[in-house]
Coordinates of all heavy atoms in Angstrom, one line a residue:
R91 N 2.6 20.7 -22.3 CA 2.0 19.6 -23.1 C 0.5 19.6 -23.2 O -0.1 19.5 -24.3 CB 2.5 18.2 -22.5 CG 1.9 17.0 -23.2 CD 2.4 15.7 -22.6 NE 1.8 14.6 -23.2 CZ 1.9 13.3 -22.8 NH1 2.7 13.1 -21.8 NH2 1.4 12.3 -23.4
Y92 N -0.2 19.9 -22.1 CA -1.6 19.7 -22.1 C -2.4 21.0 -22.3 O -3.5 21.0 -22.8 CB -2.1 19.0 -20.8 CG -1.7 17.6 -20.7 CD1 -0.5 17.2 -20.1 CD2 -2.5 16.6 -21.3 CE1 -0.1 15.9 -20.0 CE2 -2.1 15.3 -21.3 CZ -0.9 14.9 -20.6 OH -0.6 13.6 -20.6
I93 N -1.8 22.1 -21.9 CA -2.5 23.4 -22.1 C -2.0 24.1 -23.3 O -2.8 24.4 -24.2 CB -2.3 24.3 -20.8 CG1 -2.7 23.5 -19.6 CG2 -3.0 25.6 -21.0 CD1 -4.1 23.1 -19.5
I94 N -0.7 24.3 -23.5 CA -0.2 25.1 -24.6 C -0.4 24.3 -25.9 O -0.9 24.9 -26.9 CB 1.3 25.4 -24.4 CG1 1.6 26.2 -23.1 CG2 1.8 26.2 -25.6 CD1 0.8 27.5 -23.1
R95 N -0.1 23.0 -25.9 CA -0.3 22.2 -27.1 C -1.7 21.7 -27.3 O -2.0 21.1 -28.3 CB 0.7 21.1 -27.1 CG 2.1 21.5 -27.1 CD 3.1 20.2 -27.0 NE 4.4 20.6 -26.9 CZ 5.4 19.7 -26.8 NH1 5.1 18.4 -26.7 NH2 6.7 20.1 -26.6
G96 N -2.5 21.9 -26.3 CA -4.0 21.5 -26.5 C -4.3 20.0 -26.2 O -5.4 19.5 -26.6
E97 N -3.3 19.3 -25.6 CA -3.6 17.8 -25.4 C -4.7 17.6 -24.4 O -5.4 16.5 -24.4 CB -2.3 17.2 -24.8 CG -1.2 17.0 -25.9 CD -1.6 16.0 -26.9 OE1 -1.9 14.8 -26.6 OE2 -1.6 16.4 -28.1
M98 N -5.1 18.6 -23.6 CA -6.1 18.5 -22.6 C -7.5 18.3 -23.3 O -8.4 17.7 -22.8 CB -6.2 19.7 -21.7 CG -7.0 19.5 -20.4 SD -6.3 18.2 -19.4 CE -7.6 17.9 -18.3
D99 N -7.6 18.9 -24.5 CA -8.9 18.7 -25.3 C -9.1 17.2 -25.5 O -10.2 16.7 -25.5 CB -8.8 19.5 -26.6 CG -8.7 21.0 -26.4 OD1 -8.9 21.4 -25.2 OD2 -8.5 21.7 -27.4
R100 N -8.0 16.5 -25.9 CA -8.2 15.1 -26.2 C -8.5 14.3 -24.9 O -9.3 13.4 -24.9 CB -6.9 14.5 -26.7 CG -6.8 13.0 -26.9 CD -5.4 12.6 -27.5 NE -4.3 13.1 -26.7 CZ -3.9 12.5 -25.6 NH1 -4.5 11.4 -25.2 NH2 -2.8 13.0 -25.0
I101 N -7.8 14.7 -23.8 CA -8.0 14.0 -22.5 C -9.5 14.1 -22.1 O -10.1 13.1 -21.6 CB -7.2 14.6 -21.4 CG1 -5.7 14.3 -21.7 CG2 -7.5 14.1 -20.0 CD1 -5.3 12.9 -21.6
L102 N -10.1 15.2 -22.3 CA -11.5 15.4 -21.8 C -12.5 14.6 -22.6 O -13.7 14.5 -22.3 CB -11.9 16.9 -21.9 CG -11.1 17.8 -20.9 CD1 -11.4 19.3 -21.1 CD2 -11.4 17.4 -19.5
T103 N -12.1 14.0 -23.7 CA -13.0 13.2 -24.5 C -13.0 11.7 -24.1 O -13.7 10.9 -24.6 CB -12.7 13.2 -26.0 OG1 -11.4 12.6 -26.2 CG2 -12.7 14.7 -26.5
R104 N -12.1 11.4 -23.1 CA -11.9 10.0 -22.7 C -12.9 9.7 -21.6 O -13.3 10.6 -20.8 CB -10.5 9.7 -22.2 CG -9.4 10.0 -23.2 CD -9.5 9.1 -24.4 NE -8.6 9.4 -25.5 CZ -7.3 9.0 -25.5 NH1 -6.8 8.4 -24.5 NH2 -6.6 9.3 -26.6
P105 N -13.3 8.4 -21.4 CA -14.3 8.0 -20.5 C -13.9 8.0 -19.0 O -14.7 8.2 -18.1 CB -14.7 6.6 -20.9 CG -13.5 6.1 -21.6 CD -12.9 7.2 -22.3
I106 N -12.5 7.8 -18.7 CA -12.1 7.8 -17.3 C -11.8 9.2 -16.9 O -11.6 10.1 -17.7 CB -10.9 6.8 -17.1 CG1 -9.7 7.3 -17.8 CG2 -11.3 5.4 -17.5 CD1 -8.5 6.5 -17.5
H107 N -11.7 9.3 -15.5 CA -11.4 10.7 -15.0 C -10.2 11.3 -15.6 O -9.2 10.6 -15.8 CB -11.3 10.6 -13.5 CG -11.3 11.9 -12.8 ND1 -10.2 12.7 -12.7 CD2 -12.3 12.6 -12.2 CE1 -10.5 13.8 -12.0 NE2 -11.8 13.8 -11.8
N108 N -10.2 12.6 -15.9 CA -9.2 13.3 -16.6 C -7.9 13.2 -15.9 O -6.8 13.1 -16.5 CB -9.6 14.7 -17.0 CG -10.3 15.4 -15.9 OD1 -9.8 15.8 -14.9 ND2 -11.7 15.5 -16.0
L109 N -7.9 13.4 -14.5 CA -6.7 13.3 -13.7 C -6.0 11.9 -13.9 O -4.8 11.8 -14.0 CB -6.9 13.7 -12.3 CG -5.7 13.6 -11.4 CD1 -4.6 14.6 -11.8 CD2 -6.1 13.9 -9.9
A110 N -6.8 10.9 -13.8 CA -6.3 9.5 -13.9 C -5.7 9.3 -15.3 O -4.6 8.7 -15.4 CB -7.4 8.5 -13.7
Q111 N -6.3 9.9 -16.3 CA -5.8 9.8 -17.7 C -4.4 10.4 -17.8 O -3.5 9.9 -18.4 CB -6.8 10.4 -18.6 CG -6.4 10.3 -20.1 CD -6.6 8.9 -20.6 OE1 -7.4 8.2 -20.2 NE2 -5.8 8.6 -21.6
V112 N -4.3 11.7 -17.2 CA -3.1 12.4 -17.3 C -1.9 11.6 -16.6 O -0.8 11.4 -17.0 CB -3.2 13.8 -16.7 CG1 -1.8 14.5 -16.6 CG2 -4.1 14.6 -17.6
C113 N -2.3 11.0 -15.4 CA -1.4 10.3 -14.6 C -0.9 9.0 -15.4 O 0.3 8.7 -15.4 CB -1.9 9.9 -13.3 SG -2.2 11.2 -12.1
L114 N -1.9 8.3 -16.0 CA -1.5 7.1 -16.8 C -0.6 7.5 -18.0 O 0.3 6.7 -18.3 CB -2.8 6.4 -17.2 CG -3.6 5.7 -16.1 CD1 -4.9 5.3 -16.7 CD2 -2.8 4.5 -15.7
E115 N -0.8 8.6 -18.6 CA 0.0 8.9 -19.7 C 1.4 9.4 -19.3 O 2.3 9.3 -20.1 CB -0.7 10.1 -20.5 CG -1.9 9.7 -21.3 CD -2.3 10.7 -22.3 OE1 -1.8 11.8 -22.3 OE2 -3.2 10.4 -23.1
S116 N 1.5 9.7 -18.1 CA 2.8 10.2 -17.6 C 3.5 9.2 -16.7 O 4.5 9.5 -16.1 CB 2.6 11.5 -16.8 OG 1.9 12.5 -17.5
I117 N 3.0 8.0 -16.7 CA 3.6 6.9 -15.8 C 5.1 6.7 -16.1 O 5.4 6.6 -17.3 CB 2.7 5.7 -15.9 CG1 3.1 4.7 -14.8 CG2 2.9 5.0 -17.2 CD1 2.2 3.5 -14.7
A118 N 5.8 6.5 -15.1 CA 7.3 6.3 -15.2 C 7.7 5.2 -14.3 O 8.3 5.5 -13.2 CB 8.1 7.6 -15.0
P119 N 7.5 3.9 -14.6 CA 7.8 2.8 -13.7 C 9.3 2.7 -13.3 O 9.7 2.2 -12.3 CB 7.4 1.6 -14.5 CG 6.4 2.1 -15.5 CD 6.8 3.5 -15.8

Side-chain angles (χ1 to χ4, degrees):
R91 177 179 177 183
Y92 290 96
I93 304 301
I94 303 299
R95 298 180 184 175
E97 288 291 303
M98 196 64 195
D99 294 351
R100 172 180 56 81
I101 292 295
L102 293 176
T103 65
R104 302 293 175 82
I106 65 174
H107 190 275
N108 40 77
L109 177 59
Q111 182 73 26
V112 172
C113 290
L114 286 170
E115 289 193 349
S116 306
I117 192 171

